[in-house]
Amino acid sequence: MTYYADFSLYDFIEYEEPEGLTIGWLEDGFDYNIDEVSEEDLADIIDLGSLRQHRSRGWHACTLCQEYTEHSATSARANVDYRLGHAEIRAVSDDGVLYVAPNLIIHYIVDHLYGPPVEFIDAVRSEVRRRWPDGK
């Protein structure tokens, strides 16, 4: 995968205009923030991940793990199990900032204790409210 520091301009696709800010594009050899994420916030991130936005043509593995392992997540809201490492999670804040994360962010939070910035968590909460206004 590609490493981006949190809040970098997202320019992954070289022939498209950069869009949004990156969150959680981790790679071995780079430091990252360690913090706790509440179960509710993690569930919201997993639910957004179930949308599997901007899928890639291949699969990306976690370089922080010592050996190759496939990772997956289960969204209770979407009632779906899905594999991580092939899509993005996109969340727009109330003030219009787009945050782009790899769906592997779920694995990074759960297994490597990555703590995404509060701005991303707030945007995830806002995005979930917009997509599922009735809470279901």
Side-chain angles (χ1 to χ4, degrees), residues 50-117:
S50 73
L51 301 173
R52 292 170 275 191
Q53 297 173 297
H54 290 250
R55 294 181 194 191
S56 65
R57 292 185 177 193
W59 298 92
H60 301 280
C62 173
T63 62
L64 303 175
C65 290
Q66 297 302 310
E67 57 188 60
Y68 176 80
T69 306
E70 291 183 8
H71 304 283
S72 62
T74 302
S75 168
R77 180 177 275 133
N79 193 29
V80 65
D81 296 323
Y82 61 97
R83 190 170 160 198
L84 304 178
H86 75 292
E88 297 172 356
I89 295 172
R90 291 172 164 245
V92 178
S93 69
D94 287 337
D95 59 355
V97 176
L98 169 64
Y99 295 97
V100 182
N103 69 1
L104 266 173
I105 195 173
I106 296 161
H107 162 67
Y108 299 148
I109 291 168
V110 172
D111 294 321
H112 299 292
L113 307 178
Y114 169 63

